[in-house]
Amino acid sequence: MNLCDIDTIRAVLGRHGFRFSKSLGQNFLTDETVPRWIAEMSGAGEAGNAVEIGPGMGCLTAELCRRADRVVAVELDRALLPVLGETLAGYDNFEVVQGDVLEIDLAALCREKFGGTPAVACANLPYYITTPAITALLESGAFQKITVMVQKEVAQRICAAPGTAAYSAFSIYVQYHAEAALLFDVPADCFVPKPKVDSAVIQLTPRTQPPVAVRNEKLYFALVRAAFNMRRKTLVNALGPVLGSAMGKEEITELIQSVGLDARVRGERLSLAEYAALSNAAEGRLKGR
């Protein structure tokens, strides 16, 4: 059964009375090369186990089942469970868990299903849960690789370099926790219903250690968020909400200059290492008070 064939999709969904949900951001692939590439690049064959978030009709799931020893899919929409029961009936290494990825303990799920053996994660993520879902996948600490399809603009933001328009606080968050790579684009024409924007597949390889030495992660990310909340302002002005209760503007200026930065710089131009230097210097001053 070709689960990317439009006639097959309509026939299967029709048998189960399934209707697409706009609120769940459901768009099913109609290009069979895309799930094959994702599964091949995911590392599922090497790891042996895979977790898929939002399997839909199961086109990517089937490709994962052909490569991995065991595949567990987490699906929120109960209406898709009988659909998956039909489309993946031929695979005895597949299991679906009904639930919300934002509420499930992914680390516990992997321990229960895979017994502590390696696993990878894959997903075609709806836009409305992209940031929290990627955060949950990274913070679970359960996956060797995370390969996800997201809106192209989001993929560019995640992989962006300092000083570019796409660079954001989320760029820094993801790159702090993982190596990020943009694998390939997926045009809107490859889906039904057709979305309004193109997508892209990215791969995140979680780090065993952050790429920079940070003494206080809470302060580090507070400074990053403050800088991007007011990205058009200079760093001196943007950091006021975080440091202003302990430091005046002159001291914040001096702090920025003490790590070799121009006081007029904007936060969008700082690298992870420069934020680390700034955060560590601020931590040193605040601790001494």
Side-chain angles (χ1 to χ4, degrees):
M1 185 184 294
N2 181 354
L3 298 177
C4 290
D5 175 70
I6 188 64
D7 292 331
T8 301
I9 292 172
R10 287 171 178 159
V12 172
L13 296 184
R15 281 197 292 274
H16 295 277
F18 177 83
R19 293 180 180 276
F20 288 98
S21 169
K22 285 187 178 181
S23 65
L24 294 179
Q26 292 172 330
N27 303 94
F28 294 173
L29 281 163
T30 57
D31 183 339
E32 60 188 294
T33 61
V34 175
R36 186 165 66 244
W37 289 346
I38 294 174
E40 193 60 38
M41 296 177 180
S42 71
E46 295 81 3
N49 303 302
V51 170
E52 183 185 4
I53 308 303
M57 272 190 64
C59 64
L60 172 56
T61 324
E63 293 292 346
L64 292 170
C65 286
R66 294 183 185 114
R67 293 163 174 79
D69 298 323
R70 194 164 185 195
V71 178
V72 175
V74 178
E75 177 54 61
L76 176 61
D77 190 353
R78 292 181 184 276
L80 281 169
L81 301 188
V83 174
L84 290 165
E86 176 184 345
T87 59
L88 297 172
Y91 298 99
D92 59 8
N93 60 339
F94 167 71
E95 178 182 355
V96 62
V97 173
Q98 194 280 322
D100 186 341
V101 65
L102 304 184
E103 297 178 1
I104 286 177
D105 184 332
L106 291 169
L109 178 71
C110 288
R111 287 193 299 270
E112 176 190 345
K113 303 299 182 182
F114 309 138
T117 53
V120 300
C122 291
N124 173 10
L125 291 174
Y127 178 71
Y128 77 101
I129 65 161
T130 298
T131 298
I134 288 176
T135 300
L137 289 165
L138 286 172
E139 293 188 352
S140 72
F143 304 108
Q144 290 184 335
K145 289 184 183 295
I146 299 166
T147 309
V148 294
M149 182 158 51
V150 297
Q151 285 196 2
K152 185 175 179 179
E153 178 185 339
V154 177
Q156 291 170 333
R157 191 158 71 239
I158 286 171
C159 300
T164 61
Y167 193 56
S168 68
F170 195 55
S171 310
I172 295 174
Y173 169 84
V174 173
Q175 292 172 30
Y176 182 88
H177 289 95
E179 293 182 38
L182 201 158
L183 300 184
F184 59 91
D185 294 342
V186 184
D189 289 339
C190 293
F191 297 91
V192 61
K194 180 180 174 180
K196 295 179 180 179
V197 296
D198 292 339
S199 297
V201 176
I202 60 169
Q203 187 164 82
L204 309 177
T205 304
R207 301 181 189 274
T208 54
Q209 293 290 334
V212 292
V214 173
R215 295 175 196 156
N216 183 333
E217 283 191 6
K218 184 177 179 180
L219 177 60
Y220 179 83
F221 286 110
L223 295 179
V224 169
R225 286 192 299 272
F228 283 94
N229 281 342
M230 294 188 285
R231 65 184 297 155
R232 296 307 172 199
K233 290 192 174 184
T234 63
L235 199 56
V236 171
N237 292 321
L239 297 185
V242 177
L243 301 175
S245 61
M247 302 179 192
K249 188 172 182 178
E250 287 187 8
E251 189 175 357
I252 294 175
T253 301
E254 183 190 335
L255 171 72
I256 293 169
Q257 292 173 330
S258 74
V259 296
L261 296 171
D262 189 317
R264 297 166 297 178
V265 73
R266 292 175 178 172
E268 62 191 12
R269 304 201 67 83
L270 271 62
S271 66
L272 274 72
E274 288 170 325
Y275 272 111
L278 183 63
S279 171
N280 290 340
E283 168 75 359
R285 294 190 182 214
L286 295 172
K287 218 171 180 182
R289 302 187 176 191

